[in-house]
Amino acid sequence: MKIVMLGAPGAGKGTQAQMICEKYGIPHVSTGDIFRENIRNNTELGQQVKSYLNEGKLVPDELTVRILLDRVAKEDCANGYVLDGFPRTIPQAEVLTQKLEEMNDKIDFAIDVEVPDENIIRRMSGRRSCPKCGATYHVTYIPPKQDGICDECGSALVQRDDDKEETVKERLNVYHKQTQPLIEYYGNAGVLKTVDGTKDMKEVFEDITALLEE
Ligand code: ADP
Ligand code: AMP
């Protein structure tokens, strides 16, 4: 099963992707996580992409597509994957569709997690994530059992540099201009499923699994 998560930054794509991956035993592929890990480790890729992330801009398509295709070519992706944060532009989606077509394959579902902009800033300002295992929390809505500590692996949680209010606004602008058109793109491909992302995270997950299994 190959799934694409769509939705604004902060809509809950990563949160849902993690639960889908656990249930179906497929990997969670987040281009944002790959970029952040490279920035933390100060790799050449990290140095190339750092300013884009800090400014809330998109990393150029060519570079992003290369990183993504390398990742999904790995053996653990052979039985499917959940893409979280990719594609983010029509050209990225077109390359993905074409590469899959060359292998007689396709995206099975594109899940659009709908959350209005007014809820997004509150979600992002309270977001905390685990730099080690990638688990995501919210200080109010989805708090860890122990303040500031990851339930899964015990590491100290961090706030993302790009979750500052000003960067969030820029990321929302970029989303509306460049990423939202993908809803129509996957609608035309006949694979779009839409869920109300303002519900409690467990309810959103139930809605998603019902759609995947209908
Ligand atoms: P995205 O991957 O779309 O950027 P995240 O999954 O990181 O979004 O979620 C953004 C923030 O909102 C996180 O702090 C997360 O814990 C919180 N969150 C996710 N889903 C919900 C939900 N259904 N209700 C309330 N808060 C949520
Ligand atoms: P995310 O973790 O998905 O919110 O992504 C964080 C940041 O990484 C984005 O604001 C972009 O700067 C960059 N990024 C992640 N995925 C992509 C992508 N598919 N195309 C371009 N830039 C991306």
Side-chain angles (χ1 to χ4, degrees):
M1 185 155 54
K2 296 186 174 64
I3 298 175
V4 162
M5 302 300 295
L6 298 175
K13 299 183 296 296
T15 302
Q16 296 301 325
Q18 202 120 23
M19 290 192 277
I20 296 169
C21 290
E22 217 162 282
K23 182 172 165 93
Y24 296 101
I26 48 178
H28 174 196
V29 176
S30 155
T31 36
D33 282 351
I34 296 173
F35 292 145
R36 279 185 291 279
E37 192 184 346
N38 277 275
I39 292 172
R40 259 197 316 279
N41 296 331
N42 199 27
T43 66
E44 198 182 322
L45 172 65
Q47 288 169 14
Q48 275 174 294
V49 302
K50 191 172 178 175
S51 61
Y52 295 106
L53 273 85
N54 283 342
E55 289 167 25
K57 310 260 193 245
L58 293 186
V59 172
D61 285 341
E62 201 193 322
L63 179 55
T64 308
V65 164
R66 184 149 47 83
I67 299 301
L68 187 277
L69 293 179
D70 280 355
R71 175 64 190 90
V72 296
K74 297 221 164 94
E75 211 180 310
D76 65 332
C77 288
N79 290 326
Y81 43 75
V82 178
L83 299 185
D84 162 19
F86 186 97
R88 254 183 164 97
T89 64
I90 294 283
Q92 290 181 12
E94 285 173 343
V95 176
L96 179 64
T97 302
Q98 188 200 328
K99 288 282 166 194
L100 288 170
E101 269 173 11
E102 286 168 14
M103 297 181 284
N104 276 327
D105 206 349
K106 65 177 191 62
I107 292 297
D108 301 296
F109 299 103
I111 303 169
D112 180 28
V113 183
E114 278 189 333
V115 174
D117 284 6
E118 35 303 4
N119 301 18
I120 294 287
I121 305 230
R122 230 173 312 136
R123 285 205 181 176
M124 306 250 257
S125 60
R127 169 157 60 186
R128 299 292 180 272
S129 46
C130 176
K132 191 152 173 234
C133 75
T136 304
Y137 302 87
H138 188 283
V139 288
T140 318
Y141 307 136
I142 308 171
K145 291 192 184 85
Q146 196 187 337
D147 221 17
I149 304 291
C150 180
D151 292 349
E152 306 292 327
C153 73
S155 303
L157 300 177
V158 296
Q159 181 165 26
R160 279 171 47 170
D161 288 339
D162 60 348
D163 279 347
K164 295 187 292 274
E165 191 166 333
E166 220 152 88
T167 321
V168 168
K169 285 189 180 145
E170 175 58 19
R171 288 163 66 202
L172 275 173
N173 282 336
V174 168
Y175 169 74
H176 289 302
K177 262 194 233 139
Q178 292 186 263
T179 309
Q180 212 167 13
L182 292 175
I183 296 173
E184 197 183 335
Y185 178 90
Y186 283 107
N188 291 338
V191 295
L192 182 70
K193 305 279 177 191
T194 305
V195 291
D196 176 358
T198 62
K199 296 185 188 172
D200 173 85
M201 85 176 202
K202 289 204 181 76
E203 283 178 72
V204 179
F205 184 58
E206 281 165 18
D207 291 349
I208 290 176
T209 48
L211 288 170
L212 297 181
E213 288 167 16
E214 77 186 1

